[in-house]
Amino acid sequence: MVFILTEKSIKREQWGSKLGFVLAAVGSAVGLGNLWGFAYRSSQGGGAAFVLLYILVVLVVCLPIFVAEFALGRNTSTSAFLAPIKAAGPRWAPLGWLFLIAPLAIASYYAVIMGWTADIFIQSLFVGLPLNPEESSSLFDSIHSGKRDLIGQIFSLGLGAYIISGGIKKGIEKLNKICIPILFIILISLAIWAAFLTNSGVGYRNFLLNFDINQLANPTTIRNAFSQAFFSLSLGIGIMITYASYLNKKSDLPKQAIQIASLDTIVGLMAGLITFPIIFSFGLGETISKSTIATLFITIPSGLGQYGSIGRLVAILFFGLAYIAAITSLISLLEIPVATLIDKFKIKRNLASILTVGFTFIIGIPSALSTNILGNIDAIANVLLILGGFLVSFLVGWVIPKTLDIELKNSGSSSLTKAYLKFMLKYVTPIIVAWGLIISVYDLLKGWLS
Ligand code: TRP
């Protein structure tokens, strides 16, 4: 009985400040998706064409959905699992389930990749880097074989549980206030360093300047652009609903959505400005074009390994940066189930965190044991994000437009902003996301069947 609280004793926590909320949302958005997903997806889908599509998806689709998630969260003041029912009735309960299952699925393999990141960080700090791609491959094989993998995963989940059990202000907000500034400092320093590498120009050209117009119609590039936009912005599965449920009534939602999306996109682009010069300066372009999830964990260490002690320092900073970015994202994924347990079953945050992390660990074991399974869960989860994005825009645009009205009014938005967002969420965003969803499902199935 100690863990059961009465309805009255639970007062919903709130963010300490507007900045705290924005930093937490940026912390959720900026993660492995920016540092690793952006590079590997843009190299798969032909550089600049992918980047262009990605930016279009962010502007036309993701920004309105951001505001829709914020409006839903702040208006209902409840976790993403319960918000659709509270806003639109029991028929929308399946959306709540999507918001519960998808973050758990992502957290399950995200923690595994964080384990790899921590392992390479420790390796760079205490042992040194591999000197060529072969050594790097065998290092990676040993990292993701069985026990070492599980230890990294458990460590990351344990850290996540520890932070999240501290609560909104003293756990999530505090961590982000410390981590986000550090993250930007490291990122800018590394981008400057990378600019001076011998072949940085070739890297930039492959990343941003290699524009192949045919790629714009390639289903894989389109799927990659949608997946990257949703994944990188933590959109489509209720993270932003949950975070906004701890907001007070006054903050300006559209403005905050723009701030968060811009910072996240800048980090994605800057990460490309770091990884591509490294990859091309060390002649690893071949490897990256056949890219899989694991590629960066092999190419970056072996590239930097050829660069002596400076390379080692850069590796420590890069993988340290990736880990910091990842922990602030992991806790946002864990917060949905935790908030759901608290809101629905009225159990204490500590217990909710332990239960969530324990469950996430168990369902993540297959991903820890096989990168193939991990890749497939990632691919499915990315389609679920797009599906969730479609349903949220449809819900807010068509079913509960009044909620949007109220929240935009509370935000103090201008009438132009209001009209624009209402129009987008009704007539533009749902249609484009539906199109992206169909292409993504088609492309995913085609990949599986071939
Ligand atoms: N956005 C994070 C990244 O780029 C990952 C993440 C956190 C996420 N929360 C999410 C992805 C919710 C999708 C949905 O690494």
Side-chain angles (χ1 to χ4, degrees), residues 25-37 102-103 106 109-110 227-240 264 325-326 328-334 336 381-382 385:
V26 170
S28 168
V30 171
L32 295 171
N34 303 62
L35 298 169
W36 137 94
I106 297 179
Y109 69 84
Y110 206 82
S227 298
Q228 181 61 26
F230 277 87
F231 190 91
S232 174
L233 289 172
S234 302
L235 221 51
I237 51 169
I239 304 274
M240 295 303 164
D264 182 67
T328 54
S329 299
L330 180 72
I331 54 173
S332 75
L333 289 160
L334 297 173
I336 293 198
N382 275 299
L385 300 177

Side-chain angles (χ1 to χ4, degrees), residues 101-141:
I101 293 166
L104 281 167
I106 297 179
S108 76
Y109 69 84
Y110 206 82
V112 174
I113 305 178
M114 283 178 71
W116 301 344
T117 312
D119 208 328
I120 297 194
F121 173 77
I122 291 169
Q123 187 83 18
S124 340
L125 195 59
F126 295 112
V127 186
L129 290 172
L131 296 174
N132 52 51
E134 290 73 40
E135 262 183 45
S136 197
S137 290
S138 59
L139 171 66
F140 184 70
D141 285 341

